[in-house]
Amino acid sequence: MKIVCNNKKAFHEYHIDKTMEAGIVLNGPEVKSLRAGRANLKDGYAAVKNGELYLYNMHISPYAFCTHSAADPLRVRKLLLHRQEIRKLIGKLNEKGVALIPLKLYFIDNGKAKVELGLARGKKLYDKREALKEQQSTREMQRMLRHKE
């Protein structure tokens, strides 16, 4: 598995309840650009439209060596999930404060691009502060253990 990009900010901004893997519909130059690691998930989100799942605001830089005109880097991309999974997501997304956020973009062994999506609830400011304090304390503990040895 080759990871193209991670959405590091998602874990800081949201509580991730459940994750799932979805395929993504891309054109040729976009795949080449992804293989070069030129993508950004930072502001991306997924939404259901007409019974299908779409990914919005995911930026894939245009491929430099493309011979024809490149597509819009922020175009809406269709996500591939089974109909039953989409129905379950519709029920969960109708709850207040729940969003579907892309967490990771990667290629699996057979060369297909996949997106890891997370059902997310927004964190409050005090939750973010608490998480930062916890991270700092674990880092300090690790340092102390390393220096003792």
Side-chain angles (χ1 to χ4, degrees):
M1 185 167 86
K2 180 193 177 214
I3 296 175
V4 176
C5 62
N6 287 314
N7 191 352
K8 295 174 190 169
K9 197 160 188 161
F11 291 99
H12 178 70
E13 298 286 331
Y14 302 98
H15 291 289
I16 307 299
D17 296 335
K18 183 182 173 185
T19 61
M20 64 192 67
E21 181 181 74
I24 184 168
V25 177
L26 300 168
N27 55 26
E30 287 178 333
V31 175
K32 291 265 195 176
S33 188
L34 284 181
R35 289 200 186 279
R38 302 184 46 104
N40 188 355
L41 295 172
K42 188 172 147 189
D43 296 327
Y45 66 95
V48 178
K49 183 178 176 184
N50 297 331
E52 294 180 337
L53 197 61
Y54 291 95
L55 187 60
Y56 296 89
N57 287 346
M58 182 181 81
H59 187 277
I60 298 178
S61 299
Y63 185 58
F65 304 107
C66 184
T67 55
H68 58 281
S69 61
D72 179 30
L74 289 173
R75 78 176 179 90
V76 178
R77 293 168 181 90
K78 186 176 176 179
L79 295 175
L80 306 171
L81 282 174
H82 290 285
R83 190 170 284 132
Q84 296 163 334
E85 292 176 314
I86 293 174
R87 280 196 211 119
K88 286 180 187 175
L89 280 176
I90 290 171
K92 301 255 177 153
L93 291 173
N94 286 336
E95 295 176 23
K96 187 178 178 188
V98 177
L100 197 57
I101 306 295
L103 302 174
K104 193 187 303 181
L105 184 61
Y106 55 93
F107 286 98
I108 57 175
D109 293 335
N110 65 359
K112 294 182 180 178
K114 300 286 184 177
V115 178
E116 185 177 294
L117 299 169
L119 267 171
R121 294 182 185 277
K123 281 186 182 178
K124 303 281 188 211
L125 184 61
Y126 58 85
D127 289 332
K128 293 178 191 175
R129 286 186 192 137
E130 210 171 279
L132 283 174
K133 284 180 188 174
E134 194 174 300
Q135 284 176 356
Q136 288 174 348
S137 65
T138 55
R139 277 192 202 128
E140 287 177 23
M141 292 287 283
Q142 292 294 330
R143 278 191 209 122
M144 296 293 253
L145 289 173
R146 269 190 250 132
H147 289 290
K148 276 189 175 180
E149 295 173 1

